[in-house]
Amino acid sequence: MTPRRIAILGTASSGKTTLAEALAARYGTVWVPEYLREFVDTEGRVPVAADQIHIARTQRQREDAAAQQAGKYLFCDTTPLMTAVYSRHYFGGIDAELALLADAHQRDYALTLVTAPDIPWVADGLQRENEEVSVIVNRLLLDELAARGIPYLLISGDPDQRILRASGYL
């Protein structure tokens, strides 16, 4: 059986990882961590424009690999679309290959959850984002979803409220 892929999008420190991990535990399945975090830790630097397609491809490859072990659901802590949104913000646009990857794969998700930036912001090592940038990136994300006609569910509140709300749509 092919798992239903659930995209979890949002800015840094908006609770994506916490939600993905909790939902996977609740439903007895696996989740796909955000590759960007590993990239920054491994490389010891933030990505540059030329890294964006590699980050998005690796995220998708890991998602495809995890689908082999998933149960009914596969919870994805970000997607290539989020990489595209960050590219627009930090590098002034989305390169054609990344745009194609984001378009092609965003349709594979049964549900898109967007974590609201309504929890306390916490710095994340080398990640360059701060609370003010998170507000901007959140707006860009919502605009990108609207422009692409992608329906989403905004998930807000404390972790327990988020899990309950997301579970109501699965």
Side-chain angles (χ1 to χ4, degrees), residues 135-159:
V135 171
I136 295 165
V137 171
N138 185 66
R139 180 76 258 150
L140 288 172
L141 171 59
L142 298 180
D143 290 348
E144 197 71 37
L145 290 165
R148 293 168 185 259
I150 298 169
Y152 64 91
L153 175 64
L154 187 64
I155 301 295
S156 61
D158 67 37

Side-chain angles (χ1 to χ4, degrees), residues 5 37 45 50 55 75-76 80-81 95 101 106-108 121 128 134 147 170:
R5 294 181 191 220
R37 182 181 308 272
R45 64 177 176 83
I55 290 166
F75 297 100
C76 304
L81 180 62
D95 88 13
L101 183 67
Q106 195 59 38
R107 290 184 283 277
D108 293 343
W121 191 88
R128 63 182 151 214
S134 286
L170 296 174

Side-chain angles (χ1 to χ4, degrees), residues 36 39-40 45-52 55 90-91 127-128:
L36 174 61
F39 176 91
V40 169
R45 64 177 176 83
V46 296
V48 296
D51 296 321
Q52 298 303 291
I55 290 166
Y90 285 110
F91 308 115
Q127 298 285 67
R128 63 182 151 214

